[in-house]
């Protein structure tokens, strides 16, 4: 839904770093704020009409582990108070068990990680309201005023429905794999030269038994609207804050899902989702 909205607000650089880059599917086409001041690192998105939003995601975010965010929703205009307000919340996936940090690390006492594991890609932002929110205008604020670069970069904005299956995926039939994309050349002497590129994550998972009626509806919708080219966000466990930045990502379906009637009024299905870089 974000692709059809109108973006405004904050202070974002023009030209190739404009705010509208959030609506393209290419994470490398970033929007860059003019500074790290909170007044500059926010924006509004007007969807044109009230729509039910179950989740908001932003990819390739260049923020520090100390970043915070606030999201507000307005039914028709921003002149009145927001009827949905998260308040200031820690950026997802930044808080870890302090036992995993050295006491000299910044954020040790707060349980905040010193850095993200994969800084080349940036971090993934995700907010899932307790219930879908019907609103026309959303205000998203990224609060990271001490960013050493003096700016915030964001590569992608996605808003839409959330599918949370009735049961977990099968634990003996899933894998998080890594696809090496680095180019390798070898000389006649056997010396290898590498052109380093990011690893692509690939998450494969399946469900043996899901209720037939709602699963047919939701999986059919995903298959027809996403195809193999439109992007989706996969979050294996939204409650696992320690590993969120490791196993949640924006991707595409490598093949459309299939549906198999595995038992009376139950179906099985499987997915393979490849990370978008």
């Amino acid at each position: 839904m974000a692709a059809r909205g109108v973006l405004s607000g904050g202070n974002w650089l023009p030209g190739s770093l404009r705010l509208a880059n959030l609506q393209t599917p290419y994470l490398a086409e970033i929007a860059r704020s003019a500074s790290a001041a909170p007044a500059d690192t926010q924006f509004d998105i007007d969807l044109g009409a009230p729509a039910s939003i179950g989740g908001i995601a932003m990819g390739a975010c260049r923020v520090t582990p100390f970043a915070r965010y606030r999201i507000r929703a307005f039914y028709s205009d921003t002149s009145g108070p927001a009827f949905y307000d998260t308040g200031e919340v820690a950026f997802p996936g930044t808080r870890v068990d302090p036992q995993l940090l050295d006491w000299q690390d910044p954020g040790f006492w707060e349980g905040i990680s010193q850095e993200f594991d994969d800084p080349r890609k940036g971090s993934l932002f995700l907010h899932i309201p307790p219930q879908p929110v019907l609103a026309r205008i959303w205000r998203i604020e990224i609060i990271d005023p001490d960013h050493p670069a003096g700016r915030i970069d964001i590569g992608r904005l996605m808003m839409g429905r959330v599918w949370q299956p009735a049961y977990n995926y099968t634990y003996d039939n899933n894998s998080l794999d890594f696809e090496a994309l680095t180019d390798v050349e070898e000389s006649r002497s056997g010396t290898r030269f590498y052109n380093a590129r990011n690893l692509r994550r690939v998450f494969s998972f399946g469900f043996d038994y899901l209720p037939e009626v709602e699963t047919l509806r939701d999986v059919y919708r995903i298959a027809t609207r996403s195809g193999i080219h439109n992007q989706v966000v996969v979050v294996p466990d939204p409650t696992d804050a320690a590993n969120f930045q490791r196993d949640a990502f924006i991707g595409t379906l490598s093949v459309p899902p299939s549906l198999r009637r595995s038992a009376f009024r139950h179906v099985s299905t499987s997915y393979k989702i490849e990370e978008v870089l």
Side-chain angles (χ1 to χ4, degrees):
M1 294 184 184
R4 74 187 190 196
V6 177
L7 296 167
S8 63
N11 188 6
W12 301 83
L13 297 182
S16 62
L17 299 172
R18 63 191 184 277
L19 184 60
N21 284 347
L22 297 183
Q23 296 171 302
T24 73
Y26 309 110
L27 271 67
E29 290 186 351
I30 60 171
R32 174 170 292 172
S33 64
S35 79
D40 291 347
T41 58
Q42 62 175 292
F43 60 90
D44 292 350
I45 179 164
D46 186 342
L47 300 178
S52 179
I53 300 297
I56 300 173
M58 292 188 292
C61 298
R62 302 289 179 174
V63 298
T64 71
F66 297 91
R68 301 177 68 81
Y69 74 90
R70 182 182 183 184
I71 296 178
R72 284 176 280 180
F74 305 84
Y75 185 73
S76 58
D77 62 69
T78 59
S79 60
F83 69 88
Y84 178 77
D85 189 341
T86 63
E88 287 193 17
V89 185
F91 214 79
T94 59
R95 296 192 175 274
V96 300
D97 187 340
Q99 295 182 15
L100 301 177
L101 303 174
D102 293 329
W103 70 268
Q104 304 99 327
D105 288 338
F108 170 79
W109 302 106
E110 298 87 356
I112 299 175
S113 174
Q114 183 178 3
E115 61 182 8
F116 295 111
D117 289 333
D118 202 346
R120 288 164 58 97
K121 295 180 182 177
S123 57
L124 175 69
F125 169 88
L126 178 72
H127 176 73
I128 301 177
Q131 299 291 336
V133 178
L134 183 67
R136 171 180 170 177
I137 301 176
W138 293 79
R139 177 165 297 166
I140 302 174
E141 304 171 61
I142 303 298
I143 305 163
D144 197 11
D146 298 322
H147 197 296
R151 62 175 185 261
I152 297 296
D153 293 347
I154 306 174
R156 183 74 165 107
L157 171 66
M158 299 178 67
M159 305 173 69
R161 296 176 179 267
V162 170
W163 178 50
Q164 185 171 1
Y167 310 122
N168 289 333
Y169 54 82
T170 307
Y171 281 101
D172 62 352
N173 185 29
N174 71 90
S175 64
L176 178 62
D177 303 305
F178 299 91
E179 180 183 354
L181 302 176
T182 293
D183 300 315
V184 182
E185 294 185 7
E186 187 170 313
S187 69
R188 293 179 61 87
S189 66
T191 301
R192 291 182 175 179
F193 301 90
Y194 300 90
N195 179 24
R197 299 169 63 192
N198 288 328
L199 286 172
R200 171 177 282 126
R201 289 172 287 182
V202 181
F203 183 42
S204 303
F205 58 103
F207 304 87
D208 288 341
Y209 298 99
L210 290 175
E212 182 180 60
V213 175
E214 56 263 38
T215 303
L216 283 173
R217 177 195 63 206
D218 293 330
V219 174
Y220 189 90
R221 181 185 292 125
I222 292 172
T224 56
R225 297 188 181 183
S226 299
I228 61 171
H229 59 290
N230 286 324
Q231 294 170 353
V232 297
V233 182
V234 58
V235 187
D237 185 354
T239 66
D240 186 3
N243 292 306
F244 172 81
Q245 293 293 344
R246 299 184 180 99
D247 60 10
F249 57 85
I250 296 174
T252 56
L253 305 180
S254 61
V255 293
S258 62
L259 283 162
R260 302 171 293 278
R261 287 180 166 85
S262 54
F264 179 65
R265 293 184 178 176
H266 283 76
V267 299
S268 62
T269 187
S270 59
Y271 291 88
K272 183 178 181 181
I273 301 181
E274 299 178 338
E275 182 179 13
V276 172
L277 299 175

